[in-house]
Amino acid sequence: MRVVVLGGDGFCGWPSALHLSASGHDVTIVDNFVRRRADDELGVQSLTPIRPLAERIEAWQAASGREIAVVELDVAHDYDAMTELLITVRPDAVVHFAEQRSAPYSMKSPPHKRYTIDNNLNATHNLLAAVVQAGIDIHVVHLGTMGVYGYETVPVDLPEGYLTVSYPDRHGEMHSREILYPTQPGSVYHLSKSLDQLLFQFYAHNDGVRVTDLHQGIVWGTQTDETERDPRLINRFDYDGDYGTVLNRFIVEAAIGYPLTVHGTGGQTRAFINIRDTVRCIRLAVESGFQVGGQVRVMNQMTETHRVADLAQLVARTIGAEVDRVANPRQEADENQLAARNDRLLGLGLAPITLDSGLLATEVGIARAYSGRIDASRIPCRSFWNESRRSAVEEQSA
Ligand code: NAD
Ligand code: USQ
């Protein structure tokens, strides 16, 4: 299949592009490199030394004999160029990773909030409008988030995207309807993903655009079978207070003897998936595109759930580390339970890798190998959800 990967230079996009290419698909990567510029803005660098995209592509050709095309454009603003690209490439599928994906970054300041909404909504809407304008039957595969469901503790397994509700009409007769699961976003970033869902619903209904929305959990790990094939293919690994996600941060912290930064009680339960499963899920979603039509297909792309405090204990036990409870910079529930269905991806053949697979030790090895690149001053989270969270953190560190 011909596949365009928007955001193909990023943490999930790069290994997914390689996996699609290794599986025989013709891949075109689109990126505007804004993520690399965000590192400069924040004064941080990936734990792993990521090579410029042109060099990555050359290394992949040498390692696999396969070519990947690259187009530099801003999906949120270069609308005409993107439409032209779709008309020229005529892809069977477009995988859309090209969004600002950090919750703390999205909450740093009004400009960061506005950038996140502008970038994410315009990117998604431009893609959908361009697919319609190009007049090609393209399957859109979007990376959404488990966070759209929110973290209320109700004893249900979260369904895959939809909820069936019944309500009485004015005559007292009951009606039943499937609605998008009510969203409860916990950051401006998560809000942008909640709003994306409405864009998909509209274009699926109005124009028959075929869409799969993957509600992905927190990704952990770095390398995949493909990125391991040459050091120049190494994947990004964020550990800083803005872009680092919780388990990857704990791995880096443990590797350099920095006390694990548990926010608050650590009673937050979240959904997780290993990067090796991410790339497989993307391939499964793309290759099963013929099944999609009518209602947007939502698949929960996660393999397990864990409490943050339990993850910290696991890392402390496996690697040896102290656990620090830091004041939580985020406005979020201290405790929640979470269970979710992932039948659709399991049904397509996903065989999940779980945390007990031994990969944790491999990841710590990577963190230790590159520990010279770690700047410990960039570990604390300095993005506050509101003033009372800021005061709580400042009081604790005073
Ligand atoms: P990332 O920031 O590493 O990658 C995103 C890529 O998109 C970057 O290379 C960036 O330069 C590019 N990009 C952003 N805006 C663009 C634009 N307007 N035009 C062109 N390129 C643009 O993020 P990631 O971790 O790879 O996440 C990819 C997607 O997966 C995001 O949509 C994110 O919300 C979702 N997701 C990520 C995680 C995770 O834990 N990393 C979990 C769930 C969902
Ligand atoms: N947390 C800590 N200590 C840390 C960092 C985070 O306790 O050092 C806590 C946070 O307070 C939060 C939880 O860990 O309760 C998860 O935080 P995170 O930064 O790992 O994940 P999150 O902000 O939710 O965002 C990440 C990705 C995002 C994706 C989302 C999936 O950056 O792109 O959409 O995971 S999900 O969480 O399922 O919505």
Side-chain angles (χ1 to χ4, degrees):
M1 292 167 93
R2 281 186 303 275
V3 187
V4 170
V5 179
L6 308 178
D9 188 46
F11 170 59
C12 299
W14 171 243
S16 298
L18 294 189
H19 186 61
L20 288 166
S21 173
S23 309
H25 301 296
D26 285 333
V27 175
T28 301
I29 285 179
V30 172
D31 210 293
N32 68 345
F33 308 112
V34 65
R35 178 70 193 86
R36 290 180 185 248
R37 290 192 292 278
D39 277 346
D40 298 338
E41 173 200 340
L42 299 166
V44 298
Q45 59 178 2
S46 161
L47 165 77
T48 47
I50 50 171
R51 309 304 309 155
L53 184 56
E55 203 180 320
R56 286 176 145 187
I57 297 288
E58 238 178 73
W60 178 242
Q61 221 222 328
S64 69
R66 297 192 59 82
E67 284 188 18
I68 292 181
V70 173
V71 177
E72 181 176 349
L73 66 80
D74 180 343
V75 180
H77 300 102
D78 299 337
Y79 176 77
D80 292 341
M82 197 171 58
T83 310
E84 262 321 298
L85 177 76
L86 296 183
I87 291 169
T88 313
V89 175
R90 300 190 71 80
D92 300 286
V94 174
V95 188
H96 174 25
F97 293 99
E99 296 188 74
Q100 192 299 100
R101 73 106 175 121
S102 154
Y105 187 88
S106 79
M107 299 300 289
K108 278 184 106 57
S109 72
H112 291 90
K113 291 177 185 177
R114 295 178 61 227
Y115 164 71
T116 301
I117 290 292
D118 174 62
N119 187 66
N120 293 3
L121 289 176
N122 278 315
T124 299
H125 188 257
N126 278 355
L127 169 62
L128 292 165
V131 166
V132 174
Q133 189 179 335
I136 308 167
D137 181 21
I138 297 171
H139 175 212
V140 172
V141 177
H142 171 252
L143 272 292
T145 172
M146 286 297 293
V148 295
Y149 299 119
Y151 297 105
E152 273 173 302
T153 293
V154 277
V156 293
D157 291 352
L158 284 174
E160 303 200 74
Y162 299 95
L163 192 64
T164 305
V165 295
S166 302
Y167 53 94
D169 65 17
R170 69 175 79 92
H171 309 293
E173 227 173 273
M174 293 304 286
H175 295 266
S176 181
R177 217 179 129 195
E178 222 177 21
I179 59 167
L180 279 169
Y181 196 92
T183 66
Q184 216 175 3
S187 70
V188 167
Y189 155 72
H190 287 97
L191 172 62
S192 75
K193 296 285 179 173
S194 302
L195 296 167
D196 276 346
Q197 291 195 105
L198 288 177
L199 299 178
F200 295 129
Q201 189 180 54
F202 177 79
Y203 276 89
H205 180 72
N206 194 65
D207 299 283
V209 178
R210 293 185 299 118
V211 182
T212 296
D213 197 5
L214 298 168
H215 287 191
Q216 186 169 237
I218 301 168
V219 183
W220 66 280
T222 332
Q223 295 280 61
T224 60
D225 291 351
E226 288 80 22
T227 63
E228 278 172 345
R229 287 168 73 168
D230 185 301
R232 291 169 297 166
L233 299 172
I234 199 162
N235 198 19
R236 166 180 277 287
F237 188 127
D238 301 312
Y239 68 88
D240 61 280
D242 289 303
Y243 275 95
T245 51
V246 63
L247 182 51
N248 277 0
R249 278 167 61 75
F250 287 173
I251 289 166
V252 160
E253 290 165 357
I256 59 164
Y258 191 102
L260 308 186
T261 51
V262 171
H263 291 169
T265 64
Q268 308 93 318
T269 308
R270 296 292 183 267
F272 291 85
I273 183 167
N274 184 268
I275 186 75
R276 290 170 189 268
D277 279 343
T278 289
V279 305
R280 291 185 190 119
C281 290
I282 298 300
R283 180 174 55 74
L284 292 170
V286 165
E287 291 175 353
S288 61
F290 65 92
Q291 298 177 2
V292 180
Q295 189 186 56
V296 174
R297 174 175 69 167
V298 179
M299 303 202 280
N300 290 342
Q301 186 163 307
M302 45 72 67
T303 55
E304 53 193 330
T305 60
H306 294 284
R307 287 171 77 239
V308 166
D310 296 341
L311 284 179
Q313 285 309 328
L314 177 74
V315 172
R317 263 200 324 275
T318 321
I319 308 162
E322 274 177 47
V323 177
D324 191 12
R325 283 190 176 182
V326 302
N328 195 344
R330 304 187 186 200
Q331 185 68 40
E332 61 183 1
D334 288 339
E335 306 273 333
N336 71 285
Q337 286 164 17
L338 173 68
R341 313 289 317 179
N342 59 353
D343 310 67
R344 292 198 173 129
L345 281 160
L346 295 179
L348 291 174
L350 177 69
I353 292 169
T354 47
L355 250 174
D356 51 19
S357 64
L359 277 180
L360 201 54
T362 311
E363 291 303 328
V364 177
I366 294 173
R368 289 204 170 119
Y370 294 107
S371 59
R373 291 172 56 86
I374 298 170
D375 178 351
S377 75
R378 297 297 166 193
I379 290 179
C381 289
R382 303 205 193 284
S383 173
F384 307 104
W385 262 232
N386 54 40
E387 282 312 309
S388 72
R389 294 291 174 165
R390 180 192 297 276
S391 314
V393 172
E394 285 173 356
E395 260 167 44
Q396 193 189 46
S397 48

